[in-house]
Amino acid sequence: MTNVITAPHPRGGPPCTFTARSPEEIEGIAGNLAAAQREWAARGVQGRIGVMGRWRAALLERRAEIVGALAEDTGRRALCEAEFDGSVRRLDYWAEKAPALLGSVSKGVSETVPGVRYEHNLTPLGLVGVIGPWNFPLLLVLIDTLPALLAGCAVLAKPSEVTPRFVEPLFDAVESVPELAGALRIVQGGAETGEAIVECADAVCFTGSVPTGRRVGARAGRRLIPAFLELGGKDPLIVLGDADLDTAVAVALRASVIATGQACQSIERVYVHDSMYARFVERLVAAAGRVRLTAGRAGGGHLGPFIDPAQADRVQAQLADAEARGATRHCGGVERRKDGDWCAPAVLTGVNHDMLLFREETFGPVIPVMAFADDAEAVRLANDSEFGLSAAVLGDESHALAVARRLRAGAVSINDGGLTAQVSDVEKESFGVSGLGRSRTGPSALLRFLRKQALLVQTGTPAPIEAFEETGNPD
């Protein structure tokens, strides 16, 4: 049966309607990709780089169309331009790094059996399924797709059905390079399509919420295929007593509200040493009040609308829960308008860890602030979460590093926030429910798509059966 999906416009414009791929269609596409993967891998890394260089040119030719479609979906333009350009830079980065990574085959002599010489052969996993989110729709599909392709895998990718408009020009760019089109397919669909991809792939990469990630991981587990899951965050920021106050306010604001807080590495909890707590809150509220929404502003602003209307409901519910439990909201909040759902930065005090604001991912420009007395309390509060994606610490560098080493987080920004959104060449692995599998930044981002096959060469005389003869009475 045909499954038609309608994606609403984030600002009340015409919706986007498309036909989702059925499980039967996904099975056929996956079979074709699996067959083409062997030829793609046989091209060698330089051959694959050459093909992807042509794809790069095709993407640049469609830059305006792709960015325009992303802007329609997300209600923002500057970030969409940065998203596209950042994706192209990642392609360039992997084209530069892949030859050395794929050529660094280890070899030597076994230490446990000295007569055995070994070397490793790197073998692509096969067909990789990539399922992306709606907050950075292009980048967070290509972040896995690019290294997988250069590793010699074929890729079947499904961007989020919430932000579908850019898929057509992206698909056209792929189809314009026939050698790539055999190894990469971009399909549209919802949950059923994503489930079908997991059932057909040899490995799966998923970026999204923890509940959906659990379901993806369970399906992958039943099939015993690798699952690389980048899930939610509830990132804490610790402002130590020796931090610069103005810097702390600037970092807390930007790292909490950039992209309307719709980023997994957004700061969602702020802990401030009690010696500067009152001054910090006063300055943060003033700074938050100067942030402008792009709503009704032809000349721009700082924050766009919520991409998914359901997210506005989630943020509103968390704010209502916090205020019902005694929190004070000093500024900001959700605004329902004909041109979309918006949220000015909301600063809250009088908060505690029983509130939804601390137990669940917010994914909005909300800044709850708590005071702490000493390092031990700051670490305890920051670690009091099932999430462990990333974190930030501000203060004297040596002091901040000492605190950072005690945090349960895959990456900790020192004297800044959200550096993981900018630094793509350093490996990190999440704690808690924030993710599973090897890093998708740094060398592991490519090497995770390869199996390491050991070739063991006996250079001496193989052992005969007599070497294992039992002698004497075991009793």
Side-chain angles (χ1 to χ4, degrees):
M1 185 176 72
T2 301
N3 182 15
V4 176
I5 293 179
T6 299
H9 193 286
R11 296 176 307 286
C16 178
T17 301
F18 60 91
T19 301
R21 293 287 191 172
S22 69
E24 293 76 19
E25 289 176 301
I26 292 298
E27 185 177 2
I29 293 169
N32 292 334
L33 285 169
Q37 184 269 327
R38 291 184 286 273
E39 180 181 348
W40 177 249
R43 287 180 177 275
V45 64
Q46 292 298 342
R48 296 192 292 272
I49 288 172
V51 172
M52 293 181 70
R54 290 165 52 204
W55 184 36
R56 180 187 191 278
L59 288 170
L60 290 174
E61 288 176 0
R62 294 163 176 81
R63 182 182 187 276
E65 188 178 359
I66 292 174
V67 169
L70 288 169
E72 280 294 301
D73 278 332
T74 63
R76 62 200 188 200
R77 176 162 289 275
L79 283 174
C80 293
E81 292 174 344
E83 181 179 357
F84 180 93
D85 295 340
S87 299
V88 173
R89 285 195 299 273
R90 283 180 182 272
L91 196 161
D92 294 339
Y93 173 82
W94 286 120
E96 177 188 351
K97 299 296 182 182
L101 289 172
L102 297 177
S104 59
V105 177
S106 57
K107 56 179 62 178
V109 176
S110 168
E111 295 182 6
T112 57
V113 185
V116 172
R117 190 176 72 247
Y118 71 88
E119 65 180 66
H120 283 121
N121 180 42
L122 299 178
T123 304
L125 292 180
L127 174 59
V128 175
V130 175
I131 303 172
W134 48 257
N135 56 328
F136 288 91
L138 175 68
L139 177 64
L140 294 180
V141 164
L142 295 187
I143 197 171
D144 296 310
T145 296
L146 296 175
L149 286 170
L150 283 167
C153 297
V155 175
L156 176 53
K158 187 196 84 66
S160 171
E161 67 274 21
V162 175
T163 50
R165 291 170 175 84
F166 80 102
V167 175
E168 184 175 344
L170 177 62
F171 180 82
D172 288 345
V174 173
E175 290 294 295
S176 71
V177 184
E179 300 92 334
L180 179 66
L184 170 61
R185 289 295 301 272
I186 313 291
V187 299
Q188 290 185 293
E192 183 182 49
T193 304
E195 291 168 359
I197 289 174
V198 179
E199 293 299 325
C200 296
D202 299 308
V204 62
C205 300
F206 171 79
T207 305
S209 69
V210 172
T212 306
R214 288 187 190 276
R215 293 195 292 271
V216 171
R219 282 182 173 269
R222 286 196 296 270
R223 295 193 57 228
L224 296 179
I225 63 171
F228 307 108
L229 309 178
E230 182 84 3
L231 307 178
K234 194 70 194 170
D235 292 4
L237 166 65
I238 296 175
V239 180
L240 299 171
D242 47 24
D244 178 79
L245 181 58
D246 290 336
T247 299
V249 170
V251 168
L253 179 63
R254 188 216 74 232
S256 299
V257 309
I258 191 71
T260 316
Q262 299 167 118
C264 57
Q265 78 287 346
S266 291
I267 294 298
E268 296 202 353
R269 300 177 285 147
V270 178
Y271 304 104
V272 183
H273 191 269
D274 54 17
S275 64
M276 65 170 67
Y277 174 79
R279 290 176 295 148
F280 177 91
V281 170
E282 180 182 7
R283 296 192 191 188
L284 179 62
V285 171
R290 293 190 290 270
V291 174
R292 295 178 293 120
L293 303 179
T294 59
R297 292 179 176 272
H302 300 104
L303 302 188
F306 287 109
I307 298 170
D308 185 351
Q311 197 56 35
D313 297 334
R314 180 185 184 91
V315 172
Q316 182 63 55
Q318 290 193 9
L319 290 173
D321 172 79
E323 291 177 282
R325 293 171 181 268
T328 299
R329 175 154 51 106
H330 297 267
C331 58
V334 176
E335 299 179 19
R336 311 281 187 171
R337 302 165 50 111
K338 291 182 180 179
D339 58 353
D341 297 324
W342 308 75
C343 187
V347 178
L348 292 94
T349 57
V351 292
N352 61 65
H353 280 214
D354 293 331
M355 298 174 179
L356 295 178
L357 276 176
F358 287 85
R359 299 203 310 270
E360 298 178 357
E361 187 173 30
T362 301
F363 231 56
V366 179
I367 316 173
V369 188
M370 290 182 67
F372 67 86
D374 52 32
D375 290 359
E377 185 180 15
V379 170
R380 178 182 62 78
L381 291 169
N383 286 341
D384 183 23
S385 173
E386 65 175 350
F387 297 95
L389 188 65
S390 48
V393 183
L394 305 180
D396 171 78
E397 183 175 317
S398 60
H399 184 188
L401 282 167
V403 171
R405 292 187 180 97
R406 299 166 63 185
L407 300 182
R408 295 180 64 257
V412 184
S413 300
I414 307 298
N415 288 327
D416 204 341
L419 287 178
T420 53
Q422 305 168 42
V423 178
S424 60
D425 58 341
V426 178
E427 295 189 354
K428 66 179 182 66
E429 295 179 3
S430 299
F431 287 63
V433 302
S434 287
L436 181 68
R438 297 175 67 187
S439 175
R440 66 176 181 178
T441 53
S444 285
L446 186 147
L447 295 175
R448 63 192 165 136
F449 296 115
L450 299 151
R451 282 193 174 88
K452 185 179 285 187
Q453 179 189 44
L455 304 177
L456 306 174
V457 180
Q458 176 61 269
T459 62
T461 301
I465 186 62
E466 287 78 10
F468 300 93
E469 182 181 359
E470 297 282 354
T471 60
N473 189 334
D475 296 331

mmCIF file of all heavy atoms in Angstrom, residues 17-59:
data_model
loop_
_atom_site.group_PDB
_atom_site.id
_atom_site.type_symbol
_atom_site.label_atom_id
_atom_site.label_comp_id
_atom_site.label_asym_id
_atom_site.label_seq_id
_atom_site.Cartn_x
_atom_site.Cartn_y
_atom_site.Cartn_z
ATOM 1 N N THR A 17 4.694 17.014 0.570
ATOM 2 C CA THR A 17 4.148 15.671 0.528
ATOM 3 C C THR A 17 5.038 14.774 -0.323
ATOM 4 O O THR A 17 5.480 15.180 -1.403
ATOM 5 C CB THR A 17 2.716 15.683 -0.045
ATOM 6 O OG1 THR A 17 1.900 16.510 0.780
ATOM 7 C CG2 THR A 17 2.127 14.285 -0.071
ATOM 8 N N PHE A 18 5.324 13.573 0.169
ATOM 9 C CA PHE A 18 6.149 12.632 -0.578
ATOM 10 C C PHE A 18 5.704 11.216 -0.266
ATOM 11 O O PHE A 18 5.016 10.961 0.728
ATOM 12 C CB PHE A 18 7.637 12.804 -0.248
ATOM 13 C CG PHE A 18 7.969 12.583 1.207
ATOM 14 C CD1 PHE A 18 8.332 11.329 1.671
ATOM 15 C CD2 PHE A 18 7.924 13.636 2.112
ATOM 16 C CE1 PHE A 18 8.630 11.113 3.008
ATOM 17 C CE2 PHE A 18 8.215 13.432 3.453
ATOM 18 C CZ PHE A 18 8.570 12.170 3.896
ATOM 19 N N THR A 19 6.102 10.305 -1.124
ATOM 20 C CA THR A 19 5.752 8.898 -0.952
ATOM 21 C C THR A 19 6.893 8.164 -0.271
ATOM 22 O O THR A 19 8.037 8.209 -0.734
ATOM 23 C CB THR A 19 5.455 8.235 -2.310
ATOM 24 O OG1 THR A 19 4.375 8.933 -2.926
ATOM 25 C CG2 THR A 19 5.073 6.773 -2.124
ATOM 26 N N ALA A 20 6.585 7.523 0.839
ATOM 27 C CA ALA A 20 7.600 6.790 1.588
ATOM 28 C C ALA A 20 7.915 5.467 0.895
ATOM 29 O O ALA A 20 7.034 4.842 0.290
ATOM 30 C CB ALA A 20 7.117 6.529 3.005
ATOM 31 N N ARG A 21 9.146 5.055 0.979
ATOM 32 C CA ARG A 21 9.547 3.753 0.456
ATOM 33 C C ARG A 21 8.997 2.647 1.343
ATOM 34 O O ARG A 21 9.115 2.687 2.569
ATOM 35 C CB ARG A 21 11.072 3.657 0.397
ATOM 36 C CG ARG A 21 11.706 4.597 -0.611
ATOM 37 C CD ARG A 21 11.454 4.120 -2.033
ATOM 38 N NE ARG A 21 12.261 4.859 -2.995
ATOM 39 C CZ ARG A 21 12.349 4.553 -4.278
ATOM 40 N NH1 ARG A 21 11.667 3.516 -4.749
ATOM 41 N NH2 ARG A 21 13.100 5.266 -5.088
ATOM 42 N N SER A 22 8.425 1.636 0.732
ATOM 43 C CA SER A 22 7.874 0.505 1.470
ATOM 44 C C SER A 22 8.989 -0.459 1.862
ATOM 45 O O SER A 22 10.082 -0.437 1.276
ATOM 46 C CB SER A 22 6.857 -0.225 0.605
ATOM 47 O OG SER A 22 7.511 -0.875 -0.475
ATOM 48 N N PRO A 23 8.743 -1.335 2.835
ATOM 49 C CA PRO A 23 9.746 -2.353 3.183
ATOM 50 C C PRO A 23 10.155 -3.204 1.989
ATOM 51 O O PRO A 23 11.331 -3.574 1.865
ATOM 52 C CB PRO A 23 9.041 -3.184 4.256
ATOM 53 C CG PRO A 23 8.091 -2.225 4.908
ATOM 54 C CD PRO A 23 7.609 -1.355 3.793
ATOM 55 N N GLU A 24 9.220 -3.514 1.105
ATOM 56 C CA GLU A 24 9.554 -4.329 -0.074
ATOM 57 C C GLU A 24 10.484 -3.564 -1.003
ATOM 58 O O GLU A 24 11.441 -4.137 -1.551
ATOM 59 C CB GLU A 24 8.269 -4.710 -0.809
ATOM 60 C CG GLU A 24 7.351 -5.650 -0.039
ATOM 61 C CD GLU A 24 6.579 -4.972 1.074
ATOM 62 O OE1 GLU A 24 6.459 -3.710 1.052
ATOM 63 O OE2 GLU A 24 6.112 -5.681 1.991
ATOM 64 N N GLU A 25 10.233 -2.269 -1.177
ATOM 65 C CA GLU A 25 11.129 -1.459 -2.015
ATOM 66 C C GLU A 25 12.510 -1.345 -1.380
ATOM 67 O O GLU A 25 13.529 -1.422 -2.080
ATOM 68 C CB GLU A 25 10.520 -0.073 -2.219
ATOM 69 C CG GLU A 25 9.298 -0.036 -3.109
ATOM 70 C CD GLU A 25 8.707 1.360 -3.177
ATOM 71 O OE1 GLU A 25 8.333 1.913 -2.115
ATOM 72 O OE2 GLU A 25 8.611 1.894 -4.303
ATOM 73 N N ILE A 26 12.548 -1.164 -0.074
ATOM 74 C CA ILE A 26 13.840 -1.063 0.623
ATOM 75 C C ILE A 26 14.635 -2.360 0.449
ATOM 76 O O ILE A 26 15.847 -2.336 0.217
ATOM 77 C CB ILE A 26 13.623 -0.760 2.122
ATOM 78 C CG1 ILE A 26 13.066 0.650 2.293
ATOM 79 C CG2 ILE A 26 14.924 -0.926 2.896
ATOM 80 C CD1 ILE A 26 13.972 1.749 1.790
ATOM 81 N N GLU A 27 13.963 -3.480 0.535
ATOM 82 C CA GLU A 27 14.652 -4.761 0.362
ATOM 83 C C GLU A 27 15.276 -4.860 -1.025
ATOM 84 O O GLU A 27 16.419 -5.312 -1.175
ATOM 85 C CB GLU A 27 13.670 -5.905 0.589
ATOM 86 C CG GLU A 27 14.323 -7.283 0.554
ATOM 87 C CD GLU A 27 13.356 -8.401 0.863
ATOM 88 O OE1 GLU A 27 12.149 -8.115 1.070
ATOM 89 O OE2 GLU A 27 13.793 -9.574 0.898
ATOM 90 N N GLY A 28 14.544 -4.408 -2.060
ATOM 91 C CA GLY A 28 15.090 -4.449 -3.407
ATOM 92 C C GLY A 28 16.256 -3.500 -3.585
ATOM 93 O O GLY A 28 17.271 -3.852 -4.203
ATOM 94 N N ILE A 29 16.134 -2.278 -3.049
ATOM 95 C CA ILE A 29 17.226 -1.303 -3.143
ATOM 96 C C ILE A 29 18.460 -1.817 -2.410
ATOM 97 O O ILE A 29 19.590 -1.711 -2.903
ATOM 98 C CB ILE A 29 16.767 0.046 -2.560
ATOM 99 C CG1 ILE A 29 15.678 0.662 -3.444
ATOM 100 C CG2 ILE A 29 17.941 1.005 -2.423
ATOM 101 C CD1 ILE A 29 14.989 1.865 -2.811
ATOM 102 N N ALA A 30 18.248 -2.393 -1.234
ATOM 103 C CA ALA A 30 19.371 -2.921 -0.452
ATOM 104 C C ALA A 30 20.086 -4.036 -1.200
ATOM 105 O O ALA A 30 21.324 -4.121 -1.183
ATOM 106 C CB ALA A 30 18.881 -3.415 0.903
ATOM 107 N N GLY A 31 19.323 -4.892 -1.877
ATOM 108 C CA GLY A 31 19.948 -5.963 -2.652
ATOM 109 C C GLY A 31 20.813 -5.426 -3.771
ATOM 110 O O GLY A 31 21.925 -5.928 -4.006
ATOM 111 N N ASN A 32 20.342 -4.401 -4.462
ATOM 112 C CA ASN A 32 21.129 -3.797 -5.535
ATOM 113 C C ASN A 32 22.393 -3.138 -4.989
ATOM 114 O O ASN A 32 23.471 -3.240 -5.587
ATOM 115 C CB ASN A 32 20.290 -2.760 -6.287
ATOM 116 C CG ASN A 32 19.157 -3.391 -7.070
ATOM 117 O OD1 ASN A 32 19.227 -4.563 -7.460
ATOM 118 N ND2 ASN A 32 18.100 -2.633 -7.315
ATOM 119 N N LEU A 33 22.259 -2.462 -3.856
ATOM 120 C CA LEU A 33 23.428 -1.810 -3.251
ATOM 121 C C LEU A 33 24.453 -2.838 -2.795
ATOM 122 O O LEU A 33 25.668 -2.637 -2.964
ATOM 123 C CB LEU A 33 22.988 -0.953 -2.066
ATOM 124 C CG LEU A 33 22.289 0.365 -2.393
ATOM 125 C CD1 LEU A 33 21.667 0.958 -1.132
ATOM 126 C CD2 LEU A 33 23.267 1.362 -3.019
ATOM 127 N N ALA A 34 23.983 -3.924 -2.192
ATOM 128 C CA ALA A 34 24.909 -4.962 -1.725
ATOM 129 C C ALA A 34 25.701 -5.549 -2.884
ATOM 130 O O ALA A 34 26.900 -5.827 -2.755
ATOM 131 C CB ALA A 34 24.128 -6.052 -0.999
ATOM 132 N N ALA A 35 25.026 -5.730 -4.036
ATOM 133 C CA ALA A 35 25.736 -6.248 -5.207
ATOM 134 C C ALA A 35 26.738 -5.235 -5.737
ATOM 135 O O ALA A 35 27.859 -5.592 -6.143
ATOM 136 C CB ALA A 35 24.727 -6.624 -6.293
ATOM 137 N N ALA A 36 26.358 -3.941 -5.736
ATOM 138 C CA ALA A 36 27.242 -2.897 -6.259
ATOM 139 C C ALA A 36 28.405 -2.605 -5.318
ATOM 140 O O ALA A 36 29.437 -2.077 -5.745
ATOM 141 C CB ALA A 36 26.434 -1.622 -6.492
ATOM 142 N N GLN A 37 28.244 -2.946 -4.027
ATOM 143 C CA GLN A 37 29.299 -2.620 -3.056
ATOM 144 C C GLN A 37 30.625 -3.276 -3.388
ATOM 145 O O GLN A 37 31.690 -2.682 -3.192
ATOM 146 C CB GLN A 37 28.840 -3.037 -1.651
ATOM 147 C CG GLN A 37 29.810 -2.672 -0.550
ATOM 148 C CD GLN A 37 30.827 -3.758 -0.255
ATOM 149 O OE1 GLN A 37 30.507 -4.955 -0.372
ATOM 150 N NE2 GLN A 37 32.036 -3.368 0.128
ATOM 151 N N ARG A 38 30.591 -4.473 -3.907
ATOM 152 C CA ARG A 38 31.850 -5.169 -4.227
ATOM 153 C C ARG A 38 32.628 -4.408 -5.297
ATOM 154 O O ARG A 38 33.852 -4.275 -5.210
ATOM 155 C CB ARG A 38 31.546 -6.600 -4.655
ATOM 156 C CG ARG A 38 31.021 -7.475 -3.510
ATOM 157 C CD ARG A 38 30.821 -8.925 -3.939
ATOM 158 N NE ARG A 38 29.645 -9.078 -4.797
ATOM 159 C CZ ARG A 38 28.415 -9.268 -4.333
ATOM 160 N NH1 ARG A 38 28.194 -9.298 -3.021
ATOM 161 N NH2 ARG A 38 27.395 -9.434 -5.158
ATOM 162 N N GLU A 39 31.928 -3.907 -6.308
ATOM 163 C CA GLU A 39 32.598 -3.121 -7.345
ATOM 164 C C GLU A 39 33.105 -1.805 -6.781
ATOM 165 O O GLU A 39 34.193 -1.344 -7.129
ATOM 166 C CB GLU A 39 31.632 -2.865 -8.500
ATOM 167 C CG GLU A 39 32.242 -2.053 -9.637
ATOM 168 C CD GLU A 39 31.267 -1.796 -10.759
ATOM 169 O OE1 GLU A 39 30.183 -2.415 -10.780
ATOM 170 O OE2 GLU A 39 31.589 -0.940 -11.623
ATOM 171 N N TRP A 40 32.303 -1.192 -5.908
ATOM 172 C CA TRP A 40 32.712 0.065 -5.286
ATOM 173 C C TRP A 40 33.987 -0.130 -4.456
ATOM 174 O O TRP A 40 34.933 0.663 -4.557
ATOM 175 C CB TRP A 40 31.580 0.582 -4.403
ATOM 176 C CG TRP A 40 31.887 1.827 -3.634
ATOM 177 C CD1 TRP A 40 32.047 1.938 -2.294
ATOM 178 C CD2 TRP A 40 32.054 3.146 -4.167
ATOM 179 N NE1 TRP A 40 32.310 3.231 -1.939
ATOM 180 C CE2 TRP A 40 32.314 4.001 -3.066
ATOM 181 C CE3 TRP A 40 32.008 3.686 -5.442
ATOM 182 C CZ2 TRP A 40 32.535 5.371 -3.221
ATOM 183 C CZ3 TRP A 40 32.218 5.053 -5.603
ATOM 184 C CH2 TRP A 40 32.485 5.874 -4.507
ATOM 185 N N ALA A 41 34.040 -1.194 -3.670
ATOM 186 C CA ALA A 41 35.227 -1.463 -2.862
ATOM 187 C C ALA A 41 36.432 -1.760 -3.745
ATOM 188 O O ALA A 41 37.565 -1.368 -3.426
ATOM 189 C CB ALA A 41 34.958 -2.622 -1.908
ATOM 190 N N ALA A 42 36.202 -2.453 -4.877
ATOM 191 C CA ALA A 42 37.301 -2.826 -5.764
ATOM 192 C C ALA A 42 37.936 -1.629 -6.455
ATOM 193 O O ALA A 42 39.049 -1.744 -6.999
ATOM 194 C CB ALA A 42 36.799 -3.820 -6.815
ATOM 195 N N ARG A 43 37.288 -0.479 -6.443
ATOM 196 C CA ARG A 43 37.878 0.713 -7.046
ATOM 197 C C ARG A 43 39.128 1.169 -6.305
ATOM 198 O O ARG A 43 39.946 1.903 -6.859
ATOM 199 C CB ARG A 43 36.857 1.863 -7.051
ATOM 200 C CG ARG A 43 35.733 1.704 -8.053
ATOM 201 C CD ARG A 43 34.776 2.903 -7.990
ATOM 202 N NE ARG A 43 33.747 2.771 -9.009
ATOM 203 C CZ ARG A 43 33.882 3.163 -10.260
ATOM 204 N NH1 ARG A 43 35.017 3.729 -10.655
ATOM 205 N NH2 ARG A 43 32.910 2.989 -11.131
ATOM 206 N N GLY A 44 39.254 0.773 -5.061
ATOM 207 C CA GLY A 44 40.363 1.256 -4.257
ATOM 208 C C GLY A 44 40.071 2.652 -3.742
ATOM 209 O O GLY A 44 39.204 3.373 -4.261
ATOM 210 N N VAL A 45 40.814 3.063 -2.728
ATOM 211 C CA VAL A 45 40.514 4.338 -2.095
ATOM 212 C C VAL A 45 40.707 5.511 -3.047
ATOM 213 O O VAL A 45 39.912 6.457 -3.060
ATOM 214 C CB VAL A 45 41.345 4.514 -0.804
ATOM 215 C CG1 VAL A 45 42.837 4.569 -1.100
ATOM 216 C CG2 VAL A 45 40.901 5.765 -0.048
ATOM 217 N N GLN A 46 41.734 5.468 -3.893
ATOM 218 C CA GLN A 46 41.940 6.585 -4.809
ATOM 219 C C GLN A 46 40.827 6.652 -5.852
ATOM 220 O O GLN A 46 40.387 7.745 -6.228
ATOM 221 C CB GLN A 46 43.309 6.465 -5.488
ATOM 222 C CG GLN A 46 44.499 6.667 -4.560
ATOM 223 C CD GLN A 46 44.538 8.057 -3.944
ATOM 224 O OE1 GLN A 46 43.895 8.993 -4.413
ATOM 225 N NE2 GLN A 46 45.307 8.195 -2.865
ATOM 226 N N GLY A 47 40.368 5.513 -6.306
ATOM 227 C CA GLY A 47 39.249 5.503 -7.236
ATOM 228 C C GLY A 47 37.992 6.064 -6.613
ATOM 229 O O GLY A 47 37.239 6.816 -7.249
ATOM 230 N N ARG A 48 37.729 5.709 -5.355
ATOM 231 C CA ARG A 48 36.544 6.229 -4.662
ATOM 232 C C ARG A 48 36.672 7.736 -4.430
ATOM 233 O O ARG A 48 35.695 8.480 -4.566
ATOM 234 C CB ARG A 48 36.334 5.482 -3.342
ATOM 235 C CG ARG A 48 36.041 3.995 -3.529
ATOM 236 C CD ARG A 48 35.564 3.345 -2.260
ATOM 237 N NE ARG A 48 36.573 3.244 -1.221
ATOM 238 C CZ ARG A 48 37.432 2.239 -1.085
ATOM 239 N NH1 ARG A 48 37.424 1.233 -1.962
ATOM 240 N NH2 ARG A 48 38.307 2.207 -0.087
ATOM 241 N N ILE A 49 37.867 8.185 -4.107
ATOM 242 C CA ILE A 49 38.084 9.624 -3.910
ATOM 243 C C ILE A 49 37.801 10.383 -5.204
ATOM 244 O O ILE A 49 37.181 11.458 -5.195
ATOM 245 C CB ILE A 49 39.523 9.889 -3.420
ATOM 246 C CG1 ILE A 49 39.676 9.423 -1.971
ATOM 247 C CG2 ILE A 49 39.880 11.372 -3.537
ATOM 248 C CD1 ILE A 49 41.105 9.464 -1.458
ATOM 249 N N GLY A 50 38.216 9.824 -6.318
ATOM 250 C CA GLY A 50 37.963 10.478 -7.598
ATOM 251 C C GLY A 50 36.477 10.615 -7.891
ATOM 252 O O GLY A 50 36.006 11.679 -8.321
ATOM 253 N N VAL A 51 35.717 9.550 -7.639
ATOM 254 C CA VAL A 51 34.272 9.601 -7.865
ATOM 255 C C VAL A 51 33.623 10.615 -6.933
ATOM 256 O O VAL A 51 32.764 11.423 -7.345
ATOM 257 C CB VAL A 51 33.653 8.203 -7.669
ATOM 258 C CG1 VAL A 51 32.130 8.281 -7.710
ATOM 259 C CG2 VAL A 51 34.166 7.243 -8.726
ATOM 260 N N MET A 52 34.031 10.616 -5.682
ATOM 261 C CA MET A 52 33.415 11.525 -4.721
ATOM 262 C C MET A 52 33.823 12.971 -4.965
ATOM 263 O O MET A 52 33.107 13.904 -4.592
ATOM 264 C CB MET A 52 33.738 11.078 -3.299
ATOM 265 C CG MET A 52 33.063 9.746 -2.966
ATOM 266 S SD MET A 52 33.349 9.148 -1.300
ATOM 267 C CE MET A 52 32.400 10.319 -0.341
ATOM 268 N N GLY A 53 34.963 13.177 -5.614
ATOM 269 C CA GLY A 53 35.334 14.522 -6.030
ATOM 270 C C GLY A 53 34.354 15.068 -7.061
ATOM 271 O O GLY A 53 34.015 16.259 -7.046
ATOM 272 N N ARG A 54 33.887 14.212 -7.952
ATOM 273 C CA ARG A 54 32.870 14.626 -8.919
ATOM 274 C C ARG A 54 31.537 14.901 -8.235
ATOM 275 O O ARG A 54 30.785 15.799 -8.613
ATOM 276 C CB ARG A 54 32.722 13.567 -9.995
ATOM 277 C CG ARG A 54 33.947 13.481 -10.923
ATOM 278 C CD ARG A 54 33.950 12.217 -11.749
ATOM 279 N NE ARG A 54 32.680 12.044 -12.457
ATOM 280 C CZ ARG A 54 32.223 10.867 -12.871
ATOM 281 N NH1 ARG A 54 32.928 9.764 -12.630
ATOM 282 N NH2 ARG A 54 31.078 10.797 -13.508
ATOM 283 N N TRP A 55 31.241 14.108 -7.204
ATOM 284 C CA TRP A 55 30.030 14.371 -6.427
ATOM 285 C C TRP A 55 30.143 15.710 -5.704
ATOM 286 O O TRP A 55 29.164 16.469 -5.622
ATOM 287 C CB TRP A 55 29.798 13.233 -5.433
ATOM 288 C CG TRP A 55 28.535 13.359 -4.640
ATOM 289 C CD1 TRP A 55 27.346 13.844 -5.064
ATOM 290 C CD2 TRP A 55 28.348 12.981 -3.272
ATOM 291 N NE1 TRP A 55 26.416 13.779 -4.048
ATOM 292 C CE2 TRP A 55 27.005 13.250 -2.945
ATOM 293 C CE3 TRP A 55 29.177 12.404 -2.305
ATOM 294 C CZ2 TRP A 55 26.479 12.994 -1.686
ATOM 295 C CZ3 TRP A 55 28.655 12.138 -1.047
ATOM 296 C CH2 TRP A 55 27.324 12.443 -0.745
ATOM 297 N N ARG A 56 31.312 16.026 -5.194
ATOM 298 C CA ARG A 56 31.527 17.313 -4.537
ATOM 299 C C ARG A 56 31.165 18.456 -5.480
ATOM 300 O O ARG A 56 30.488 19.425 -5.101
ATOM 301 C CB ARG A 56 32.980 17.418 -4.089
ATOM 302 C CG ARG A 56 33.350 18.720 -3.390
ATOM 303 C CD ARG A 56 34.854 18.778 -3.158
ATOM 304 N NE ARG A 56 35.237 19.869 -2.285
ATOM 305 C CZ ARG A 56 35.404 21.131 -2.681
ATOM 306 N NH1 ARG A 56 35.196 21.454 -3.959
ATOM 307 N NH2 ARG A 56 35.774 22.060 -1.816
ATOM 308 N N ALA A 57 31.628 18.349 -6.724
ATOM 309 C CA ALA A 57 31.318 19.391 -7.703
ATOM 310 C C ALA A 57 29.814 19.473 -7.951
ATOM 311 O O ALA A 57 29.244 20.570 -8.086
ATOM 312 C CB ALA A 57 32.072 19.113 -9.008
ATOM 313 N N ALA A 58 29.159 18.311 -8.012
ATOM 314 C CA ALA A 58 27.714 18.297 -8.231
ATOM 315 C C ALA A 58 26.972 18.927 -7.056
ATOM 316 O O ALA A 58 25.960 19.630 -7.244
ATOM 317 C CB ALA A 58 27.239 16.859 -8.453
ATOM 318 N N LEU A 59 27.448 18.694 -5.851
ATOM 319 C CA LEU A 59 26.834 19.316 -4.681
ATOM 320 C C LEU A 59 26.978 20.835 -4.731
ATOM 321 O O LEU A 59 26.023 21.572 -4.450
ATOM 322 C CB LEU A 59 27.476 18.772 -3.403
ATOM 323 C CG LEU A 59 27.135 17.337 -3.007
ATOM 324 C CD1 LEU A 59 28.028 16.875 -1.860
ATOM 325 C CD2 LEU A 59 25.665 17.211 -2.607
#
